[in-house]
Amino acid sequence: MSVTEMPTANAGSVKPARLIQYFTALSVTMGALSFGTSIGFTSPAGPMMNETLSGEEEMMWFNSIINMGAMAGGPMGGLLINVVGRKGSMLGSVVLSLSAWLLIIFGRNFASLLSGRIIGGLFMGMTSLVVPTYIGEMASADIRGALGSGFQLMVVIGILYAYLFGAVINNWRVLAVVCAIPVAIYGVLAFFVKESPTYLLSKGKEKEAREALQALRGKEYNIESEFKMLRETQEALTRNQVTWRDLMQPHILKPVIICLVVMVFQQSSGVNAVLFNLGTIFKEAGVGLPENISAIVVGTVQVVATGIAAPLLDRAGRKILLTGSAAVMAISHFALGVFFYLKEEGEAPGWLPLTSLMVFIAAFSLGYGPIPWVLMGE
């Protein structure tokens, strides 16, 4: 029996298959986990690279230049998803990430290492746009929110992955190889996922779009109602092309500004500086625990807090979580600054750096970590 001949009685009695959607979401969010390993790599690797990088300035460039690549990767991903598709963009980003890790693994000078981090940033920027877009388009409405929240969770799992292996590997090149493994797995899994039905419809490939949607919903589910809605939405978008002038309309401009400002605050919170340099921070602080163990503790707190954030978002509300998150992060930053001031004076409580950063990362994960991504979708 062909797809178009399926009985309509299933529409009300059979729900979309979830297992294939869960597996598809897991496959593409391996890109988010790979994103996280790029962030977490420098914390354990930094102290091992003293013989390769000449001084603190080169280390700071190596840690932070990835953000420049990510700035370019976002717009690049926005262009590619409509040219080569969501799946094609994901596979292309895998090539970028593997190239970046190869440059780092085999790099013998500062220029090659820096190039690797910049290209890795392109991967991060593309992934942060392409993967959430794909999940939003392929997931059925009943589990779209749950699957979408998995992106941030996989990012922080990737960060913890780098911290854990960094604690047992004493060679930063070997650590880079280990951090490249999730990217290779992501590439294999992404190769086998279905292209987004929305993208296929936008290119006039109705038959392929129908087949992809049926595969994602299960053979027993009648997709006719959902497919009709997708097609009507695509036709409406084709008829009503959005221009830059439309952006100035208050009902569009206000939410755009809100999202941009919240994203600016997210990036200005200092979270990347903290995550890139956790090992160095704890080494300079001279706390009782080894710096790698302290970083693992903070990474674990981040994973747990991010897991808690998903159900909390709808119960507590976005505004109160953002406000509380910002306030607690500010206090944590202040406390860490006080510690280093007291350390220079000769007396500082050894428990303060770890406690401050645990509280900071928990506050970020409950508010400014996930909420900006949620707001963009809403």
Side-chain angles (χ1 to χ4, degrees):
M1 182 181 292
S2 70
V3 171
T4 56
E5 294 171 338
M6 289 182 66
T8 57
N10 287 343
S13 59
V14 179
K15 293 183 178 180
R18 292 188 172 184
L19 186 59
I20 182 63
Q21 294 185 70
Y22 289 144
F23 181 75
T24 302
L26 176 64
S27 298
V28 299
T29 53
M30 279 300 297
L33 192 149
S34 304
F35 179 135
T37 63
S38 296
I39 295 174
F41 171 74
T42 55
S43 177
M48 305 180 203
M49 300 180 73
N50 291 331
E51 295 182 4
T52 307
L53 298 176
S54 302
E56 189 174 317
E57 185 176 348
E58 286 194 357
M59 178 61 68
M60 291 171 64
W61 274 106
F62 180 77
N63 287 349
S64 60
I65 197 68
I66 197 168
N67 294 308
M68 297 294 290
M71 286 177 62
M76 187 168 75
L79 292 172
L80 287 176
I81 59 171
N82 293 319
V83 177
V84 298
R86 284 56 164 160
K87 180 177 176 178
S89 298
M90 286 187 280
L91 293 174
S93 72
V94 169
V95 175
L96 286 175
S97 185
L98 289 175
S99 300
W101 285 118
L102 288 172
L103 280 168
I104 292 171
I105 293 165
F106 295 106
R108 298 297 173 185
N109 53 56
F110 181 57
S112 61
L113 294 174
L114 213 60
S115 298
R117 291 292 282 175
I118 293 171
I119 296 171
L122 290 174
F123 165 78
M124 287 171 55
M126 288 182 64
T127 301
S128 66
L129 184 139
V130 176
V131 172
T133 299
Y134 177 82
I135 292 174
E137 292 177 349
M138 76 85 186
S140 55
D142 56 329
I143 57 172
R144 187 173 296 136
L147 295 184
S149 65
F151 183 86
Q152 181 71 11
L153 181 61
M154 290 293 274
V155 170
V156 297
I157 289 174
I159 294 171
L160 181 59
Y161 172 97
Y163 291 169
L164 287 169
F165 281 101
V168 296
I169 295 173
N170 58 10
N171 183 301
W172 63 268
R173 295 187 192 274
V174 176
L175 179 60
V177 172
V178 172
C179 287
I181 292 173
V183 186
I185 296 172
Y186 171 44
V188 172
L189 293 174
F191 180 81
F192 290 103
V193 302
K194 296 293 183 181
E195 179 58 272
S196 161
T198 301
Y199 168 74
L200 292 170
L201 270 178
S202 72
K203 297 300 181 183
K205 300 179 180 181
E206 187 168 320
K207 180 183 176 182
E208 291 90 336
R210 187 184 294 275
E211 290 172 350
L213 185 61
Q214 190 71 68
L216 290 165
R217 299 295 180 263
K219 294 180 180 180
E220 301 301 319
Y221 183 72
N222 191 314
I223 64 168
E224 291 307 312
S225 176
E226 183 178 359
F227 189 77
K228 180 182 177 183
M229 187 180 300
L230 281 176
R231 185 167 52 195
E232 289 174 351
T233 301
Q234 189 57 50
E235 289 172 352
L237 289 171
T238 303
R239 287 194 306 269
N240 305 309
Q241 293 292 330
V242 179
T243 66
W244 284 105
R245 183 176 296 177
D246 295 324
L247 183 64
M248 302 310 295
Q249 298 179 32
H251 71 281
I252 296 177
L253 184 62
K254 186 175 179 180
V256 168
I257 291 176
I258 289 172
C259 287
L260 287 175
V261 170
V262 172
M263 275 292 183
V264 168
F265 286 146
Q266 182 199 60
Q267 295 302 307
S268 302
S269 68
V271 66
N272 284 339
V274 168
L275 294 175
F276 290 160
N277 298 286
L278 267 182
T280 303
I281 292 171
F282 287 125
K283 184 178 180 180
E284 292 296 323
V287 297
L289 285 173
E291 54 265 24
N292 283 334
I293 301 301
S294 298
I296 289 170
V297 171
V298 173
T300 303
V301 169
Q302 188 176 28
V303 171
V304 173
T306 303
I308 293 172
L312 196 62
L313 289 180
D314 292 324
R315 295 183 181 181
R318 280 73 163 136
K319 188 173 181 179
I320 190 170
L321 286 175
L322 283 174
T323 304
S325 175
V328 175
M329 284 193 294
I331 294 170
S332 301
H333 274 313
F334 180 78
L336 189 62
V338 167
F339 168 82
F340 280 105
Y341 174 79
L342 293 176
K343 185 172 181 285
E344 289 184 358
E345 296 296 315
E347 294 184 9
W351 53 267
L352 190 55
L354 181 58
T355 303
S356 298
L357 290 176
M358 287 172 63
V359 172
F360 169 82
I361 212 68
F364 176 83
S365 300
L366 289 170
Y368 269 93
I371 291 177
W373 304 106
V374 175
L375 287 180
M376 284 202 303
E378 293 176 341

